[in-house]
Amino acid sequence: GFGERKAKAERMFSLMDGFLKNDPFSLQKDILHHVEYTVARSRFNFDDYEAYQALSHSVRDRLIERWHDTHTYFKRTKPKRLYFLSLEFLMGRSLSNSVINLGIQDQYAEALSQLGFEFDVLAEQEGDAALGNGGLARFSACQMDSLATLDYPAWGYGLRYEYGLFRQIIVDGFQHEQPDYWLNFGNPWEIERIHVTYEVKFYGTVEDVDRNGEKHEVWIPGETVEAVAYDNPIPGYGTRNTINLRLWAAKPSNHFDLEAYNTGDYINSIVNRQRTESISNVLYPDDRSHQGKEMRLKQQYFFVSASLQDIIRRFKEAHNNFDELPEKVALHLNDTHPSLSIAEIMRILVDEEQLDWNKAWNIVCKIFSFTTHTVVAEGLEKIPTDLLGSLLPRHLQILYKINSNFMEELKKRIGLDYNRLSRMSIVEEGAVKSIRMANLSIICSHTVNGVSKLHSDTLKMRTFKDFYELWPEKFQYTTNGVTQRRWIVVSNPSLCALLSKWLGTEAWIRNADLLTGLRDHVDNTGFRHEWKMVKRLNKMRLAEYIETMSGVKVSLDAMFDVQVKRIHEYKRQLLNIFGIIHRYDCLKNMDKNDRTKVVPRVCIIGGKAAPGYEIAKKIIKLCHAVAEKINNDADIGDLLKLVFIPDYNVSVAEMVIPGADLSQHLSTAGHEASGTGSMKFLMNGCLLLATADGSTVEIIEEIGSDNLFLFGAKVQEVAELREKGGALKVPLQFARVLRMVRDGYFGDKDYFKSLCDTVEVGNDFYLLGSDFGSYLEAQAAADKAFVEPEKWTKMSILSAAGSGRFSSDRTIREYAERTWKIDPCQCPF
Ligand code: CJB
């Protein structure tokens, strides 16, 4: 009975001595305990790495307590839950973030210093968890932090890749990719759940079975792989809630291939099994085009199948009627990567749970929401039906049925407009018949989200125009955001202290809107002085890093001008490099006396190119070739430096962003769905030099156009400019810079030819030439502002003051209230 259970619980609790204690003395005891018994080193002799391991295990213990309590509480109160399905999460490091969110940063610092260690030094021992490519994946990580902090009953689901995003090394200016086997030294931030496993099936055939005199189609799969759960606790800030990110790994299944066993082919049967177990091995490194790869499709289904089995099991534990599913479960498709979920859940409901098709479809249409991160239709995911039919024959049938029902309904609505019908079909006919994952996701989701206002307008007017006209109410937007916990509190502690001091509260850490309070102090010279000191400190940290990474010594008085993000033609790193060449050219041709008026610059570029993306790789090489020339030109000295920061990732970003004076966001208008890097720079008081693209349009609304440097063609001008083709006007300076590269001024003339061709008049799809003039003007305006430090500092303060709207807390609250319809569920302390 209840009394008995309560007595037992009390006894357990007293045996455990209550919860773990967080005073520095208890923390020291715990750390030493882990040194001795977990790391198995002598407590009298351990190094920084071992100290980091022991430290993280003591943090992990504290996370686990809260994580258990949170889930017990969710289980008891049965709120509607959100399941956030994403094939990528770019978490970065966990130690500092966890300790800060647990609220025991100071206690740990003190405990460690008494043991003779420094917290920050140990934190540097941790490697990044890089289970994602770029913006989309880091945005998922920010959203998890906000979901936990705002007490939403949410779960993240993803894949536990053994190899994360490749490490970028630069040899002779060229990018090389090295494997990121990140689990080599163990991972204290995950909990292996050897008993939480599901079988995932592939291949096989579809057969007719008789069910109560009716014919039904059932899948007889041919291959089985086991999925094992690895749970990653995600602590909220200022709350006990600690939610779960469950990542799946493929493991040997205990199903024996009896045939092979009997024929004595024991070794080969093991070797074959290992191949199937490699499903979750490696993250695909091309951010955005994954068309037609069988392994990628296997990964998607593996992830979807394991997650849905887990979700349905949890639902059935608490509820016994599938009609309740929409009231209890929200499934979010983070881009189209998890959209096989739609076919899979239909298969489960119809084939396994034996629901009537229409009933199942009505339920399913109420539970999915979808966010697309892509702008152009060519970037949308497609899966060849041949591939899908062989790997997942029953799912292909289900997709065809969804499509034919949709086509019937559509004909009733719009008539026999065959062009439009074929554009809206899930099935694309053509040379390679394929499934359009975006159309599927739109048809089945109750909400289709864009990631910024501008993006959403483009979706409605262009990319998904047909669907918008059919279902205008489905189309919404929720502007992206980033978490101020990681992007200020963790990565910029001195700014964090300054903000709390002048705002008179730490409440901005949970409510970023309070940052507008900085506007009240913008005219206070004392405040501005402290603000400048913080920036200088962060520039010092960055300068040291640059010197160790590249050997280039940089001056702290120079403007630190940064462009860090994936390398893409549309992001126009080439425009930046051309601008730098132009600057160098001007310096060389300038009267010596005039040079004293020039603002010294340190140009910093960083980012990875997809391994198969040749042009992007040439951009990296050109950057190095230009840097080589400029940095070794003694005549130029500190007036201009160019450094490429290798292996840009989350932890590098944490150092680079706080140290930037200016950051560049140069995408051709209409190509960046949102952009989230800009938001992190903004929060850190870095000025933006940007096109009116993605979320920048909304940033301007918040900080005013006087506080950033805007340039370039507007979205509505781009199409017209492109049409001009060879007749497009391009400034002489652009032609000159292009000529320099073509003529081999930076060496490797032949190698750079194809890169130069991409921006030649008539071929310049991303409009570098036509935007170059206004780009140089914006750069000149930045120089002009920088020589007035007080003006610059005010702009910097007003940037941070207007960044509150770009907190992922705002993003998540909007999604929760408007799209997912979930309520906070706070676990009591
Ligand atoms: N994005 O990082 C990716 N990968 C893709 O495959 C497609 C889009 C980016 O997603 C971010 C988060 O929504 C956006 O801010 C960014 O504009 C977009 O390129």
Side-chain angles (χ1 to χ4, degrees), residues 128-139:
D128 276 32
L131 307 186
N133 273 286
L136 174 151
R138 180 55 228 177
F139 180 46

Side-chain angles (χ1 to χ4, degrees), residues 466-492:
D466 293 310
F467 285 104
Y468 175 63
E469 283 165 6
L470 181 68
W471 293 311
E473 67 290 345
K474 272 196 192 186
F475 285 76
Q476 308 221 337
Y477 74 91
T478 309
T479 303
N480 285 172
V482 300
T483 166
Q484 68 269 32
R485 266 81 59 189
R486 180 166 301 253
W487 296 108
I488 302 178
V489 185
V490 173
S491 63
N492 196 345

Side-chain angles (χ1 to χ4, degrees), residues 88 133-137 139 286-290 335 337 371-374 451 480 570-571 671-677:
E88 298 190 12
N133 273 286
L136 174 151
F139 180 46
D286 7 26
D287 91 316
R288 59 206 83 211
S289 57
H290 324 268
D335 218 288
H337 317 151
T371 291
T372 172
H373 301 260
T374 313
V451 291
N480 285 172
Y570 86 82
K571 292 180 189 282
H671 285 267
E672 193 69 271
S674 162
T676 44

Side-chain angles (χ1 to χ4, degrees), residues 152 191 378 460 568 628 688 716:
Y152 285 113
I191 303 156
E378 303 80 73
K460 292 190 222 172
H568 266 285
E628 173 91 9
L688 308 186
Q716 59 280 13

Side-chain angles (χ1 to χ4, degrees), residues 598-706:
V598 169
V599 177
R601 286 242 192 175
V602 177
C603 301
I604 298 160
I605 297 180
K608 294 177 183 177
Y613 190 171
E614 279 307 317
I615 293 294
K617 289 184 141 176
K618 291 192 181 202
I619 293 173
I620 292 175
K621 173 65 180 169
L622 179 63
C623 182
H624 283 88
V626 174
E628 173 91 9
K629 181 112 195 165
I630 296 177
N631 299 345
N632 293 317
D633 187 340
D635 175 46
I636 294 300
D638 276 345
L639 287 180
L640 185 60
K641 292 279 180 237
L642 170 57
V643 282
F644 185 90
I645 296 201
D647 203 37
Y648 179 64
N649 61 17
V650 176
S651 52
V652 172
E654 286 174 31
M655 177 162 39
V656 171
I657 294 171
D661 291 307
L662 183 77
S663 76
Q664 305 199 36
H665 307 277
L666 312 180
S667 56
T668 313
H671 285 267
E672 193 69 271
S674 162
T676 44
S678 53
M679 300 169 179
K680 299 162 196 166
F681 283 104
L682 197 70
M683 280 183 177
N684 283 276
C686 169
L687 273 54
L688 308 186
L689 190 152
T691 50
D693 201 13
S695 58
T696 304
V697 179
E698 291 157 76
I699 290 178
I700 298 167
E701 285 171 17
E702 293 298 299
I703 69 173
S705 54
D706 294 347

Side-chain angles (χ1 to χ4, degrees), residues 146-160:
S146 291
L147 283 164
T149 298
L150 300 178
D151 299 319
Y152 285 113
W155 285 62
Y157 277 101
L159 274 188
R160 180 181 178 269

